[in-house]
Amino acid sequence: MNNALYPKLAASNIAKHRKIYLPYIISSAVVCAMLYIMWAIHFDENICKLRGASYLTELINMGIIVIVIFSLIFLIYTNSFLMKQRTKELGLYNILGMEKRHICKIITFETLYSCVFGILAGIVSGIVFHKLVTLILFKIMKMDIQLGFFVSFKSILSSAAVLALIFGINLIFNIIKVYKANPLDLMNSARTGEKEPKAKIISTALGVLFLGAGYIIAVTVNDPLDALTLFFIAVLCVIAGTYCLFISGSISLLKLLKKNKSYYYNKKHFTSVSGLLYRMKQNAVGLANICILSTMVLVMVSATVSLYAGAEDALKQRYPSDISIEYNGYENQEEISKKITNAVFETSEENGFEILDFSDLKYLSFAAVLKNGDTFETDNTSYSSTFSVQTLCIVTADEYKSLSGENAVLKDNQVIVHSNGAQLGDSFNLFGKRYDIVRKADEFKDISNYSTVLADIHYIVVADESVLNDIDESQLEAYEGNASEINHQITFNLNGTNEEKIQLSETITSSVEKALEGESAHCIIESRSVNRNDFYELYGSLLFLGIVLGSLFLMVTVIIIYYKQISEGYGDRERYVIMQKVGMSDSEVKSSVRSQVLTVFFLPLVTACVHLSFAFPIISKLLMLLQLNNTKIFALGLAATAVIFAVIYTLVYSVTARTYYKIVRK
Amino acid sequence: MSLLEVNGVQKIYTTRLGGNKVQALSDVTFSVEPGEYVAIMGESGSGKTTLLNIIASLDTPTRGEIKIAGQSLGSIKEKDLAKYRRNNLGFVFQDFNLLDTFSVKDNIFLPLVLSGIKHEEMEERLTPIACRLGIDKILNKFPYEISGGQKQRTAAARALITNPQLILADEPTGALDSKAADELLGLFTEINDFGQTILMVTHSVKAACTAKRVLFIKDGRVFHQLYKGNLSDDDMFRRISDTLTVITTGGESNE
């Protein structure tokens, strides 16, 4: 036989089936481009040397693994769809006298072509977009770096290898399929009658149970630390519930509707209920996949966007002042305080900066367990669970005055309290002494960075130094080696730009260290500006990864939907013709088809949104662990992501719906 | 008054790109009285399916007029056509055209549901028809679970349940084996005996024998017609065969 025949046939096959081949090749090209870019960043030595690159390289590595696994699953799925659409054609070749090995030759050439096209297009676009992507990456990481244009050969090899591997697997699948089938099967596989699905009560009930459990966990969780451990359980529950409900719940519901005779035998419902019943049977898994993918995209993108958007807030919360200096453990605290203060003021004056909002605060903080709502236990053995531990932060009335500007005149057993979290009653017991709460302060300026501590905090204002010292002695006794010390915290702001602040904070650090030379004890100096860079490096890389994976998942969703529509179009064409012949008007058929398509299309999106609204409480708690305390930002980020997603989704819907109608009305 | 009047119907198809014109029907005129059972025969491409589609209001004639019970199809508005078809015509197709997603019962109910008839009334109407057609035992099965003959009887039940003025059958025995075909034709005769008017397009001489009148179409016009009268099926078979031979050989062989 003429050997040039097979490549030619293969090429014309791809051209003929471009409606289904093009999305396949395009999506493999996109995957390849993504892999190229990720690997190019990974292999880039300039980036590896950057400060904060450790976050980035780690996240990029993770991203590469996710992309590889995901594209493997996804491209295999797409290929199986392609083959299903073509079984009849291949059967015809077989009947017309082609042997199976000839058919395999054609398939091999087809795979080769799509593989080469996909890889070439992917790498070319990868190279083109690589520079742009790195620029965006540095922009969101707030790094100001100039990089040249370059081509990473290592990256080309790696991404091409992954794609070649996937196409190889697909080829093997296809060849096995051709060899296993006989020609009549190949011809007839599209025409086997579908059985009407049966309602499965048990798995529906399981679905409701799983989903309910997941939702309840998500809504009722209060503690951010609990949220971390429960989140995965909730996610697993919701995933299991979604699959159960899509697969059997939808069918049980439709069956129930069908049993209701006066509802079912109604012009509006008759064809759509029975049509949906079959559609759900064929598509339930696909729809559940779409639903879960959409939820994942929305959660990932909105979480990373919100973290990034809330970075400045989180930074301010974590570092309320430009610079904070904390120290303890010195014998001669007053003297040390003076030394540090002098060093700070001198250094900033020398450099021409102004010190603003200077404060020097003395406080005692230690942990205790609250029992019966009014007694703090300091017994070591009562640390049964970390979650019941509360932090007490004690200052004197004088310090409170300098903090809040409010005068507080208190007796020895009187206190002012401000609690984050669990609230106290009218009084409490501490080390055997009863304190009456004369007032509860509405707000309290953050001391140290306790606001980021996850346990409940009670700020307690006591009458004077002697009360403070009494408490200090008692806690030294109770905790012995683990006891806390009275802390000093100096905080102040600076004028100037971010860069200047970074420089100055370095100078101040060295001059403070010099001033304290020879003293034993420790002192921590933190600068907000220095940490700002760290924040943006972490949150920037997270955002980058979120967007990259989000767009990958979005593409996968879109392609799955597209293929679903097409395969349904071919199935619906016959039904459409028959219904018209039996006396359904064109517009009736159209509206019936449209309502089914709409349901199938938007059911996953609506379910994803329901999932998200239930997930909102637990995710916002999780984000608190990452120092995003501003729920509003997350709500906004989530809403914005959902809207953008819905717009893209609807766009895809209208494009595929057009293709769909073209097929149906042919 | 005739139930169906076909007056000078002409149909010309224009190919999609506008170039060629194909004349499917040139000038067809005939009428069908209430209670008649008429078969239309002709070679492939003689225009019989086009004619049936035009009578079924699925297609419009280029010239001429169709009247059913005195009402001209051309005067019915486009959006009312489907409803008109549903209420006045019943269809039996060669390939059954049953919906796989519906049970036998629901397939039969389809036109009634579309007309907005109450469920109780549907059941009432169904019972006698299902018994008569012998499908009362398979009402809850699905089309892929039953035989070809049963499928066609289901389709016949779907055509009958609306009490149509006219049943149009397009090669109803085309996809059936001979036993199932005989049964179906017996059914057609039976329902015709109850007064139902039937117009059937067919290739099969055997099927045409059961009709009371056979129209022959050639080159887009009515070429000949035969009345069965008191003839036996065998005699009718022979006369139809003779006529077909004449049509095929261009009218030169016999006389």
Short mmCIF file of all heavy atoms in Angstrom, two decimals, chain A residues 186-237:
data_model
loop_
_atom_site.label_atom_id
_atom_site.label_comp_id
_atom_site.label_asym_id
_atom_site.label_seq_id
_atom_site.Cartn_x
_atom_site.Cartn_y
_atom_site.Cartn_z
N LEU A 186 -17.85 -0.98 16.50
CA LEU A 186 -17.41 0.38 16.21
C LEU A 186 -18.51 1.15 15.48
O LEU A 186 -18.74 2.32 15.74
CB LEU A 186 -16.15 0.35 15.34
CG LEU A 186 -14.87 -0.11 16.03
CD1 LEU A 186 -13.72 -0.16 15.05
CD2 LEU A 186 -14.53 0.82 17.18
N MET A 187 -19.20 0.45 14.57
CA MET A 187 -20.25 1.11 13.82
C MET A 187 -21.44 1.46 14.70
O MET A 187 -22.08 2.48 14.53
CB MET A 187 -20.74 0.21 12.68
CG MET A 187 -19.78 0.07 11.53
SD MET A 187 -19.68 1.55 10.56
CE MET A 187 -21.15 1.39 9.56
N ASN A 188 -21.76 0.56 15.60
CA ASN A 188 -23.04 0.68 16.31
C ASN A 188 -22.96 1.36 17.67
O ASN A 188 -23.98 1.63 18.26
CB ASN A 188 -23.66 -0.70 16.52
CG ASN A 188 -24.10 -1.28 15.19
OD1 ASN A 188 -24.42 -0.53 14.27
ND2 ASN A 188 -24.10 -2.59 15.09
N SER A 189 -21.76 1.59 18.15
CA SER A 189 -21.65 2.00 19.55
C SER A 189 -22.47 3.23 19.89
O SER A 189 -22.90 3.41 21.01
CB SER A 189 -20.20 2.22 19.93
OG SER A 189 -19.71 3.34 19.23
N ALA A 190 -22.72 4.06 18.87
CA ALA A 190 -23.47 5.28 19.18
C ALA A 190 -24.98 4.99 19.29
O ALA A 190 -25.72 5.80 19.82
CB ALA A 190 -23.22 6.32 18.11
N ARG A 191 -25.42 3.84 18.80
CA ARG A 191 -26.85 3.65 18.68
C ARG A 191 -27.47 2.73 19.74
O ARG A 191 -28.61 2.33 19.63
CB ARG A 191 -27.18 3.09 17.30
CG ARG A 191 -27.15 4.13 16.21
CD ARG A 191 -28.05 3.75 15.06
NE ARG A 191 -29.41 3.48 15.49
CZ ARG A 191 -30.35 4.40 15.57
NH1 ARG A 191 -30.08 5.64 15.32
NH2 ARG A 191 -31.57 4.08 15.94
N THR A 192 -26.70 2.35 20.74
CA THR A 192 -27.30 1.49 21.74
C THR A 192 -28.26 2.29 22.59
O THR A 192 -27.96 3.41 22.99
CB THR A 192 -26.22 0.89 22.65
OG1 THR A 192 -25.30 1.93 22.96
CG2 THR A 192 -25.49 -0.24 21.97
N GLY A 193 -29.44 1.72 22.84
CA GLY A 193 -30.45 2.43 23.62
C GLY A 193 -29.99 2.60 25.06
O GLY A 193 -29.37 1.73 25.63
N GLU A 194 -30.32 3.73 25.61
CA GLU A 194 -29.93 3.99 26.99
C GLU A 194 -31.06 3.56 27.91
O GLU A 194 -32.22 3.85 27.66
CB GLU A 194 -29.68 5.48 27.18
CG GLU A 194 -28.45 5.96 26.49
CD GLU A 194 -27.32 6.12 27.46
OE1 GLU A 194 -27.52 5.80 28.65
OE2 GLU A 194 -26.24 6.54 27.03
N LYS A 195 -30.74 2.87 28.94
CA LYS A 195 -31.77 2.52 29.93
C LYS A 195 -32.12 3.74 30.77
O LYS A 195 -31.26 4.57 31.05
CB LYS A 195 -31.23 1.44 30.86
CG LYS A 195 -31.36 0.05 30.26
CD LYS A 195 -31.76 -0.93 31.35
CE LYS A 195 -32.16 -2.25 30.76
NZ LYS A 195 -31.06 -3.19 30.61
N GLU A 196 -33.38 3.77 31.16
CA GLU A 196 -33.75 4.88 32.03
C GLU A 196 -33.10 4.65 33.39
O GLU A 196 -33.15 3.55 33.93
CB GLU A 196 -35.26 4.95 32.21
CG GLU A 196 -35.65 6.25 32.90
CD GLU A 196 -37.12 6.29 33.25
OE1 GLU A 196 -37.63 5.32 33.78
OE2 GLU A 196 -37.73 7.32 33.00
N PRO A 197 -32.46 5.68 33.93
CA PRO A 197 -31.77 5.50 35.21
C PRO A 197 -32.75 5.24 36.34
O PRO A 197 -33.90 5.65 36.29
CB PRO A 197 -31.05 6.82 35.41
CG PRO A 197 -31.80 7.80 34.57
CD PRO A 197 -32.35 7.04 33.42
N LYS A 198 -32.26 4.53 37.34
CA LYS A 198 -33.11 4.25 38.51
C LYS A 198 -32.75 5.23 39.64
O LYS A 198 -31.60 5.62 39.78
CB LYS A 198 -32.87 2.82 38.98
CG LYS A 198 -33.43 1.79 38.03
CD LYS A 198 -33.60 0.45 38.75
CE LYS A 198 -34.37 -0.53 37.91
NZ LYS A 198 -33.61 -0.98 36.72
N ALA A 199 -33.75 5.54 40.42
CA ALA A 199 -33.49 6.42 41.56
C ALA A 199 -32.75 5.62 42.62
O ALA A 199 -33.11 4.49 42.92
CB ALA A 199 -34.80 6.93 42.12
N LYS A 200 -31.69 6.20 43.18
CA LYS A 200 -30.95 5.49 44.22
C LYS A 200 -31.11 6.27 45.53
O LYS A 200 -30.47 7.28 45.75
CB LYS A 200 -29.46 5.41 43.83
CG LYS A 200 -29.27 4.54 42.62
CD LYS A 200 -27.79 4.47 42.27
CE LYS A 200 -27.60 3.85 40.91
NZ LYS A 200 -27.10 4.80 39.92
N ILE A 201 -31.98 5.72 46.35
CA ILE A 201 -32.33 6.44 47.58
C ILE A 201 -31.12 6.53 48.52
O ILE A 201 -30.84 7.58 49.08
CB ILE A 201 -33.49 5.73 48.32
CG1 ILE A 201 -34.66 5.52 47.36
CG2 ILE A 201 -33.91 6.52 49.53
CD1 ILE A 201 -35.29 6.77 46.87
N ILE A 202 -30.41 5.40 48.64
CA ILE A 202 -29.34 5.36 49.64
C ILE A 202 -28.26 6.38 49.32
O ILE A 202 -27.86 7.17 50.19
CB ILE A 202 -28.73 3.95 49.74
CG1 ILE A 202 -29.80 2.99 50.23
CG2 ILE A 202 -27.53 3.96 50.69
CD1 ILE A 202 -29.37 1.55 50.23
N SER A 203 -27.81 6.39 48.06
CA SER A 203 -26.71 7.31 47.79
C SER A 203 -27.20 8.76 47.78
O SER A 203 -26.43 9.68 48.05
CB SER A 203 -25.98 6.94 46.50
OG SER A 203 -26.77 7.22 45.40
N THR A 204 -28.49 8.97 47.48
CA THR A 204 -29.02 10.33 47.61
C THR A 204 -28.96 10.76 49.07
O THR A 204 -28.51 11.87 49.39
CB THR A 204 -30.48 10.38 47.14
OG1 THR A 204 -30.55 9.83 45.84
CG2 THR A 204 -30.99 11.79 47.14
N ALA A 205 -29.42 9.85 49.95
CA ALA A 205 -29.41 10.18 51.38
C ALA A 205 -27.98 10.43 51.85
O ALA A 205 -27.71 11.39 52.58
CB ALA A 205 -30.03 9.04 52.17
N LEU A 206 -27.06 9.57 51.38
CA LEU A 206 -25.65 9.77 51.74
C LEU A 206 -25.17 11.14 51.28
O LEU A 206 -24.46 11.84 52.00
CB LEU A 206 -24.79 8.69 51.06
CG LEU A 206 -24.56 7.43 51.87
CD1 LEU A 206 -23.71 6.45 51.07
CD2 LEU A 206 -23.86 7.79 53.18
N GLY A 207 -25.56 11.49 50.05
CA GLY A 207 -25.16 12.79 49.50
C GLY A 207 -25.63 13.93 50.38
O GLY A 207 -24.87 14.83 50.71
N VAL A 208 -26.91 13.86 50.76
CA VAL A 208 -27.47 14.91 51.62
C VAL A 208 -26.70 14.96 52.94
O VAL A 208 -26.33 16.03 53.43
CB VAL A 208 -28.96 14.65 51.88
CG1 VAL A 208 -29.50 15.64 52.91
CG2 VAL A 208 -29.74 14.77 50.59
N LEU A 209 -26.41 13.78 53.45
CA LEU A 209 -25.72 13.68 54.73
C LEU A 209 -24.32 14.31 54.65
O LEU A 209 -23.93 15.13 55.47
CB LEU A 209 -25.58 12.20 55.11
CG LEU A 209 -25.90 11.85 56.55
CD1 LEU A 209 -27.36 12.10 56.84
CD2 LEU A 209 -25.53 10.40 56.81
N PHE A 210 -23.58 13.90 53.63
CA PHE A 210 -22.21 14.41 53.45
C PHE A 210 -22.22 15.92 53.28
O PHE A 210 -21.46 16.63 53.93
CB PHE A 210 -21.57 13.78 52.22
CG PHE A 210 -20.90 12.47 52.50
CD1 PHE A 210 -21.20 11.35 51.75
CD2 PHE A 210 -19.95 12.37 53.50
CE1 PHE A 210 -20.58 10.14 52.00
CE2 PHE A 210 -19.33 11.17 53.77
CZ PHE A 210 -19.64 10.05 53.02
N LEU A 211 -23.08 16.37 52.38
CA LEU A 211 -23.12 17.80 52.10
C LEU A 211 -23.51 18.57 53.35
O LEU A 211 -22.88 19.57 53.70
CB LEU A 211 -24.11 18.06 50.96
CG LEU A 211 -23.95 19.39 50.26
CD1 LEU A 211 -22.62 19.44 49.55
CD2 LEU A 211 -25.07 19.61 49.26
N GLY A 212 -24.53 18.05 54.05
CA GLY A 212 -24.98 18.70 55.27
C GLY A 212 -23.86 18.77 56.29
O GLY A 212 -23.61 19.81 56.89
N ALA A 213 -23.15 17.63 56.45
CA ALA A 213 -22.05 17.60 57.42
C ALA A 213 -21.00 18.62 57.05
O ALA A 213 -20.54 19.40 57.90
CB ALA A 213 -21.45 16.20 57.46
N GLY A 214 -20.63 18.64 55.77
CA GLY A 214 -19.61 19.60 55.31
C GLY A 214 -20.05 21.02 55.60
O GLY A 214 -19.28 21.83 56.14
N TYR A 215 -21.30 21.33 55.27
CA TYR A 215 -21.81 22.68 55.48
C TYR A 215 -21.83 23.03 56.96
O TYR A 215 -21.43 24.12 57.35
CB TYR A 215 -23.24 22.79 54.91
CG TYR A 215 -23.30 22.97 53.41
CD1 TYR A 215 -24.51 22.99 52.75
CD2 TYR A 215 -22.13 23.13 52.65
CE1 TYR A 215 -24.58 23.14 51.37
CE2 TYR A 215 -22.20 23.28 51.28
CZ TYR A 215 -23.43 23.29 50.65
OH TYR A 215 -23.50 23.45 49.31
N ILE A 216 -22.29 22.07 57.77
CA ILE A 216 -22.39 22.37 59.20
C ILE A 216 -21.00 22.64 59.77
O ILE A 216 -20.79 23.61 60.50
CB ILE A 216 -23.08 21.21 59.95
CG1 ILE A 216 -24.57 21.22 59.60
CG2 ILE A 216 -22.90 21.34 61.46
CD1 ILE A 216 -25.33 20.03 60.10
N ILE A 217 -20.04 21.81 59.40
CA ILE A 217 -18.67 22.04 59.87
C ILE A 217 -18.22 23.44 59.47
O ILE A 217 -17.70 24.21 60.27
CB ILE A 217 -17.70 21.00 59.28
CG1 ILE A 217 -18.00 19.61 59.85
CG2 ILE A 217 -16.25 21.39 59.58
CD1 ILE A 217 -17.16 18.52 59.24
N ALA A 218 -18.46 23.76 58.20
CA ALA A 218 -17.96 25.04 57.68
C ALA A 218 -18.60 26.21 58.39
O ALA A 218 -17.95 27.22 58.65
CB ALA A 218 -18.21 25.12 56.18
N VAL A 219 -19.88 26.08 58.72
CA VAL A 219 -20.59 27.22 59.29
C VAL A 219 -20.35 27.35 60.78
O VAL A 219 -20.25 28.44 61.32
CB VAL A 219 -22.10 27.10 58.99
CG1 VAL A 219 -22.87 28.18 59.70
CG2 VAL A 219 -22.34 27.20 57.49
N THR A 220 -20.21 26.21 61.48
CA THR A 220 -20.17 26.30 62.92
C THR A 220 -18.77 26.48 63.49
O THR A 220 -18.63 26.80 64.66
CB THR A 220 -20.78 25.05 63.57
OG1 THR A 220 -20.11 23.91 63.02
CG2 THR A 220 -22.26 24.96 63.30
N VAL A 221 -17.75 26.26 62.68
CA VAL A 221 -16.41 26.34 63.24
C VAL A 221 -16.12 27.77 63.73
O VAL A 221 -16.46 28.74 63.06
CB VAL A 221 -15.35 25.86 62.23
CG1 VAL A 221 -15.17 26.87 61.14
CG2 VAL A 221 -14.06 25.55 62.93
N ASN A 222 -15.55 27.87 64.94
CA ASN A 222 -15.34 29.19 65.52
C ASN A 222 -13.88 29.56 65.60
O ASN A 222 -13.49 30.69 65.41
CB ASN A 222 -15.93 29.23 66.93
CG ASN A 222 -17.36 29.70 66.90
OD1 ASN A 222 -17.71 30.55 66.07
ND2 ASN A 222 -18.18 29.12 67.74
N ASP A 223 -13.08 28.56 65.87
CA ASP A 223 -11.69 28.82 66.15
C ASP A 223 -10.85 28.64 64.89
O ASP A 223 -10.98 27.62 64.22
CB ASP A 223 -11.24 27.82 67.22
CG ASP A 223 -9.89 28.17 67.76
OD1 ASP A 223 -8.90 27.99 67.02
OD2 ASP A 223 -9.84 28.63 68.89
N PRO A 224 -10.01 29.60 64.56
CA PRO A 224 -9.20 29.47 63.35
C PRO A 224 -8.35 28.20 63.34
O PRO A 224 -8.17 27.59 62.29
CB PRO A 224 -8.32 30.70 63.39
CG PRO A 224 -9.08 31.68 64.18
CD PRO A 224 -9.83 30.89 65.20
N LEU A 225 -7.85 27.79 64.51
CA LEU A 225 -7.02 26.59 64.54
C LEU A 225 -7.85 25.34 64.26
O LEU A 225 -7.42 24.44 63.55
CB LEU A 225 -6.31 26.46 65.88
CG LEU A 225 -5.08 27.34 66.02
CD1 LEU A 225 -4.56 27.29 67.43
CD2 LEU A 225 -4.00 26.95 65.04
N ASP A 226 -9.09 25.34 64.80
CA ASP A 226 -10.00 24.25 64.48
C ASP A 226 -10.27 24.24 62.98
O ASP A 226 -10.35 23.20 62.35
CB ASP A 226 -11.34 24.43 65.20
CG ASP A 226 -11.22 24.08 66.67
OD1 ASP A 226 -10.23 23.43 67.01
OD2 ASP A 226 -12.10 24.46 67.45
N ALA A 227 -10.43 25.43 62.43
CA ALA A 227 -10.74 25.55 61.01
C ALA A 227 -9.70 24.84 60.17
O ALA A 227 -10.01 24.15 59.21
CB ALA A 227 -10.83 27.02 60.61
N LEU A 228 -8.43 24.99 60.59
CA LEU A 228 -7.35 24.38 59.82
C LEU A 228 -7.51 22.87 59.75
O LEU A 228 -7.39 22.26 58.69
CB LEU A 228 -6.01 24.74 60.47
CG LEU A 228 -4.77 24.39 59.67
CD1 LEU A 228 -4.77 25.11 58.35
CD2 LEU A 228 -3.53 24.73 60.46
N THR A 229 -7.80 22.26 60.91
CA THR A 229 -7.91 20.80 60.93
C THR A 229 -9.21 20.32 60.29
O THR A 229 -9.25 19.29 59.65
CB THR A 229 -7.83 20.26 62.37
OG1 THR A 229 -8.64 21.09 63.19
CG2 THR A 229 -6.43 20.25 62.89
N LEU A 230 -10.28 21.12 60.47
CA LEU A 230 -11.59 20.66 59.98
C LEU A 230 -11.80 20.97 58.50
O LEU A 230 -12.65 20.38 57.87
CB LEU A 230 -12.70 21.31 60.80
CG LEU A 230 -12.82 20.77 62.23
CD1 LEU A 230 -13.85 21.56 63.00
CD2 LEU A 230 -13.19 19.29 62.20
N PHE A 231 -11.00 21.90 57.99
CA PHE A 231 -11.24 22.35 56.62
C PHE A 231 -11.21 21.18 55.64
O PHE A 231 -12.10 21.02 54.82
CB PHE A 231 -10.21 23.40 56.22
CG PHE A 231 -10.42 23.96 54.84
CD1 PHE A 231 -11.53 24.74 54.57
CD2 PHE A 231 -9.54 23.69 53.82
CE1 PHE A 231 -11.75 25.25 53.31
CE2 PHE A 231 -9.76 24.20 52.55
CZ PHE A 231 -10.85 24.98 52.30
N PHE A 232 -10.19 20.34 55.76
CA PHE A 232 -10.05 19.25 54.80
C PHE A 232 -11.17 18.24 54.93
O PHE A 232 -11.65 17.71 53.94
CB PHE A 232 -8.68 18.61 54.91
CG PHE A 232 -7.62 19.53 54.36
CD1 PHE A 232 -6.87 20.32 55.19
CD2 PHE A 232 -7.45 19.63 52.99
CE1 PHE A 232 -5.94 21.20 54.68
CE2 PHE A 232 -6.53 20.51 52.47
CZ PHE A 232 -5.76 21.29 53.31
N ILE A 233 -11.60 18.02 56.18
CA ILE A 233 -12.74 17.12 56.37
C ILE A 233 -13.97 17.70 55.69
O ILE A 233 -14.68 17.02 54.96
CB ILE A 233 -13.00 16.90 57.87
CG1 ILE A 233 -11.76 16.27 58.51
CG2 ILE A 233 -14.23 16.05 58.08
CD1 ILE A 233 -11.83 16.20 60.01
N ALA A 234 -14.18 19.00 55.90
CA ALA A 234 -15.34 19.65 55.30
C ALA A 234 -15.27 19.56 53.78
O ALA A 234 -16.25 19.26 53.11
CB ALA A 234 -15.42 21.10 55.75
N VAL A 235 -14.07 19.82 53.24
CA VAL A 235 -13.91 19.77 51.78
C VAL A 235 -14.23 18.37 51.26
O VAL A 235 -14.98 18.21 50.29
CB VAL A 235 -12.48 20.18 51.38
CG1 VAL A 235 -12.21 19.82 49.93
CG2 VAL A 235 -12.28 21.66 51.59
N LEU A 236 -13.69 17.36 51.94
CA LEU A 236 -13.94 15.99 51.49
C LEU A 236 -15.43 15.67 51.55
O LEU A 236 -15.99 15.08 50.63
CB LEU A 236 -13.16 14.99 52.35
CG LEU A 236 -11.66 14.97 52.07
CD1 LEU A 236 -10.97 13.95 52.96
CD2 LEU A 236 -11.38 14.66 50.60
N CYS A 237 -16.08 16.08 52.64
CA CYS A 237 -17.52 15.86 52.78
C CYS A 237 -18.27 16.50 51.62
O CYS A 237 -19.16 15.89 51.02
CB CYS A 237 -18.04 16.46 54.08
SG CYS A 237 -17.75 15.42 55.49
#
